[in-house]
């Protein structure tokens, strides 16, 4: 814990031994890295797109908290444009 009530601190305080430690999972573009219900919705969406002639590609399904923090820093403390307002643990990408 770092003393700041951020997602990492909340996870340690309220669920110190989670069955799935999302904060340490690597990023993945695989739908299998998502919650099974979310993965099924994503697959239905992709099937619907294909059926209607749309070529859609999943570029990221699950995003690690560290990668989210790197994206959050962009345009703030590192070069580039701001691309997200969510820090690690605050994005739906971080929870699968």
């Amino acid at each position: 814990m770092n003393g700041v009530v951020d997602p990492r601190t909340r996870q340690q305080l309220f669920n110190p031994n989670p069955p799935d430690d999302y904060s340490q999972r690597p990023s993945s573009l695989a739908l299998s890295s998502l919650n099974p219900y979310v993965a099924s919705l994503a697959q239905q969406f992709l099937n619907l797109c294909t059926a209607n002639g749309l070529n859609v590609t999943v570029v990221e399904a699950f995003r690690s908290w560290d990668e989210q923090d790197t994206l959050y820093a962009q345009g703030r403390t590192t070069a580039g444009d701001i691309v997200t307002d969510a820090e690690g643990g605050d994005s739906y990408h971080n929870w699968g």
Side-chain angles (χ1 to χ4, degrees):
M1 288 190 291
N2 60 13
V4 176
V5 184
D6 60 14
R8 288 175 176 87
T9 303
R10 285 192 301 273
Q11 185 176 30
Q12 284 293 95
L13 287 172
F14 301 112
N15 195 6
N17 299 303
D20 295 316
D21 187 358
Y22 292 102
S23 67
Q24 300 301 314
R25 284 178 53 187
S27 295
S28 173
L29 62 82
L31 294 185
S32 62
S33 68
L34 299 172
N35 171 288
Y37 177 69
V38 174
S40 71
L41 293 177
Q43 189 60 62
Q44 289 175 36
F45 171 75
L46 292 172
N47 293 343
L48 186 61
C49 289
T50 300
N52 286 280
L54 300 172
N55 184 15
V56 176
T57 303
V58 174
V59 295
E60 194 157 42
F62 179 84
R63 184 180 301 141
S64 74
W65 289 25
D66 289 339
E67 186 175 347
Q68 187 70 35
D69 284 337
T70 299
L71 289 174
Y72 182 79
Q74 185 176 318
R76 293 177 175 85
T77 58
T78 63
D81 295 328
I82 291 176
V83 294
T84 183
D85 291 321
E87 294 182 70
D90 285 336
S91 170
Y92 283 116
H93 282 286
N94 303 144
W95 297 99

